[in-house]
Amino acid sequence: MISSKSNPKIKYLRRLARRRQREKEDHFLLEGVRLIEEALLSGWPVKMLVYTPPPGERAGALLELAGKRGAQLMPVDEGLFRELADTRTPQGVLAVVQRPGYTPEGLLAGDASLLLLVDGVQDPGNLGTMIRSASAAGAGGVFLLPGTVDLYNPKTIRATMGSLFHLPVLGVREGEELVARLKAAGFLLVAGVPAGGAPLPAVDMTGPTVLAVGNEARGISPWLLQYADIQATIPMPGRAESLNVAMAASIMLYEVVRQRMACSGGGSSLE
């Protein structure tokens, strides 16, 4: 059992708490029984499983599964584990997971007809919620433009509630290049704006559609608004001035679901 903070593997785990190191190593940390189960059952490559012995029944089953999948099992002292954990009440299991090799080309080569484009959202809880909603709505993927919070921030991962492992989510470095590809592929780019846009229910989104949402304070970047085919606003007959960006994205996604279910007579195929 490892109990020393100076152990090279412990130092490596500490480094993975930083975004720059996660991007350099192409790995990230995943904490908690349920999320690690989701990753393993979804086929994500879990490289290492760190745990505090003795594991409980569910954690023990997780260790067995991870071992069968080739993960290195590493017991650590409980006090040291608490220092590594991001949560206040850790469950005693922490995994090192390899990031998936998604590419825009691979995603667009599929048959996805609903995508979400996230431009500069800063709150990890908002991003995680949007990913969860996109998965629930049957979207084919989520693109993160530069300036968006790190997908592998522990708070973002927890907010996805496991949806991260069922939906391609990828960051891109060149936003304009991506948007040009989407439009060339026949996607309608619908930009959500807080006011002044076409009423969302009046926008026909039964064809291939990419929904764009922006930063909590500034909204969508001006350059992206220029590329948009339509700027759409969620009708708000009440007295609220605006909606949380994650809530707004969820409403937009489910307006697409509503329209497509109406067209298909009750069924819906969004991917």
Side-chain angles (χ1 to χ4, degrees), residues 5-21:
K5 298 180 182 180
S6 62
N7 183 284
K9 292 179 180 178
I10 298 301
K11 290 183 176 180
Y12 175 69
L13 293 171
R14 290 185 184 278
R15 290 197 300 271
L16 287 180
R18 300 192 295 269
R19 179 174 184 170
R20 180 178 297 181
Q21 193 67 27

Side-chain angles (χ1 to χ4, degrees), residues 11-19 21-23 25-29 95-97 152:
K11 290 183 176 180
Y12 175 69
L13 293 171
R14 290 185 184 278
R15 290 197 300 271
L16 287 180
R18 300 192 295 269
R19 179 174 184 170
Q21 193 67 27
R22 289 193 290 267
E23 293 175 347
E25 299 287 345
D26 215 28
H27 291 80
F28 67 97
L29 297 177
V96 176
V97 185
Y152 299 105

Side-chain angles (χ1 to χ4, degrees), residues 4 9 12 31 36 57 80 105 114 126 149 187 192 236 238 254:
S4 172
K9 292 179 180 178
Y12 175 69
E31 187 179 340
I36 297 173
E57 181 178 351
L80 184 56
E105 295 83 3
L114 174 61
N126 282 337
V149 66
F187 280 86
M236 293 188 293
Y254 271 88

